[in-house]
Amino acid sequence: MAQRHVPFEPKPGAGLVQQIRAAAATAEIAVQPLRGNVSVLMGSGGNIAVLPGSDGKLLIDAGIPASKPKISAALAGISSDPIKHLVNTHWHFDHTDGNEWLHSAGATIVAHVNTRKRLSTTTRVVDWDFTFPPAPAGALPAEVFQTEQTLQLNGATVVLHYYQPAHTDGDISVHFTEADVLHVGDTWWNGVHPFIDYSTGGSIDGTIQATESNLAKVSAKTTIIPGHGPVGDKSQLIEFQDMLTTLRAEIAALKKQGKSLEEVLAAKPTSPYDAKWGALVPPGLFAKLVYDGV
Ligand SMILES: [Zn+2]
């Protein structure tokens, strides 16, 4: 990563964490059934996958607590099974803020060892201009793993697999094997530029490597749940990979010419992509995140 790491000016990320937490109070929660009894809840933080059944509901990611009434209603609409299991794809607040209430509701939390490490301590994310205090004890994953863990729940085989550092240093994928539904967390943002968290081990090259790993794992038939954006498939993941590698090459070339961050931003290297990809993470911030890592 870059030697100099300062918040992007004029700080489009300032207040972003607070804004996302507050917006979840009024956000609608959409429920989309996929395959093999797996559904996805969209609208509160990162996309939440749900597998109900006699072993109790399994959730992948926890959403934002302000959405608890609507998430609870959506979960009740899927089945009456109690909430028993929660997996975090990584430590970010929009995937783990709901940990505490879901744990209180009965969930055992599973995550990568680095996710528990990040949640356990004060963690500053420079590009969000935000410092997170340690999470409460009930929000911490009780079970952690290093490389891979397989859950047998509700008649399904669910494989949790660690990436190398990608979007953070704790990202995992979750494969519902029989249904062939893959939740890839924030290694994929479908149709929008991704955020990349250099403060906790993420990088553009790690993100590209995770995308290569995702592409190697899926077939044309695999249903892929991104951390953000609509549920998609391999063809959309390939578009994301093309966007990442093209912009990485262009921004790396500008940096190699000696251009400063300000000069690179002024050159607007993302402009051919902004109409399609610029709706969530501001293009200038994404360009800065690439610049930092090349
Ligand atoms: Zn994230």
Side-chain angles (χ1 to χ4, degrees), residues 90 92 94-95 128 167-168 186 189 195 228:
H90 62 297
H92 280 158
D94 51 329
H95 303 255
W128 286 340
H167 164 78
T168 66
D186 278 3
W189 299 46
F195 181 71
H228 300 274

Side-chain angles (χ1 to χ4, degrees), residues 83-239:
I83 300 162
K84 288 286 192 188
H85 313 273
L86 169 62
V87 171
N88 292 143
T89 60
H90 62 297
W91 77 273
H92 280 158
F93 76 102
D94 51 329
H95 303 255
T96 62
D97 270 6
N99 277 15
E100 191 176 30
W101 84 260
L102 288 166
H103 174 69
S104 300
T108 299
I109 307 173
V110 183
H112 186 260
V113 62
N114 289 344
T115 293
R116 183 165 71 186
K117 189 178 90 181
R118 299 296 184 188
L119 288 172
S120 300
T121 59
T122 300
T123 304
R124 177 160 182 79
V125 177
V126 172
D127 289 304
W128 286 340
D129 191 22
F130 196 89
T131 301
F132 296 86
L140 296 178
E143 293 177 20
V144 294
F145 66 96
Q146 289 278 2
T147 305
E148 189 167 287
Q149 181 161 341
T150 300
L151 309 176
Q152 297 287 348
L153 290 171
N154 300 324
T157 308
V158 185
V159 179
L160 318 181
H161 192 85
Y162 180 55
Y163 297 95
Q164 293 306 303
H167 164 78
T168 66
D169 64 5
D171 305 294
I172 60 167
S173 59
V174 181
H175 193 207
F176 297 90
T177 307
E178 294 84 358
D180 196 16
V181 173
L182 182 69
H183 194 319
V184 295
D186 278 3
T187 67
W188 188 30
W189 299 46
N190 188 8
V192 288
H193 291 311
F195 181 71
I196 299 169
D197 184 0
Y198 284 79
S199 294
T200 63
S203 68
I204 179 64
D205 287 347
T207 299
I208 289 171
Q209 283 159 18
T211 308
E212 287 168 358
S213 153
N214 286 333
L215 285 169
K217 246 181 240 178
V218 301
S219 76
K221 292 179 184 165
T222 307
T223 294
I224 314 171
I225 305 172
H228 300 274
V231 173
D233 63 16
K234 186 170 189 175
S235 65
Q236 291 162 310
L237 190 57
I238 291 170
E239 283 183 47

Side-chain angles (χ1 to χ4, degrees), residues 4-23:
R4 190 177 71 105
H5 199 85
V6 294
F8 176 73
E9 298 294 342
K11 294 192 182 174
L16 178 132
V17 172
Q18 297 91 325
Q19 285 170 36
I20 290 173
R21 282 177 164 163

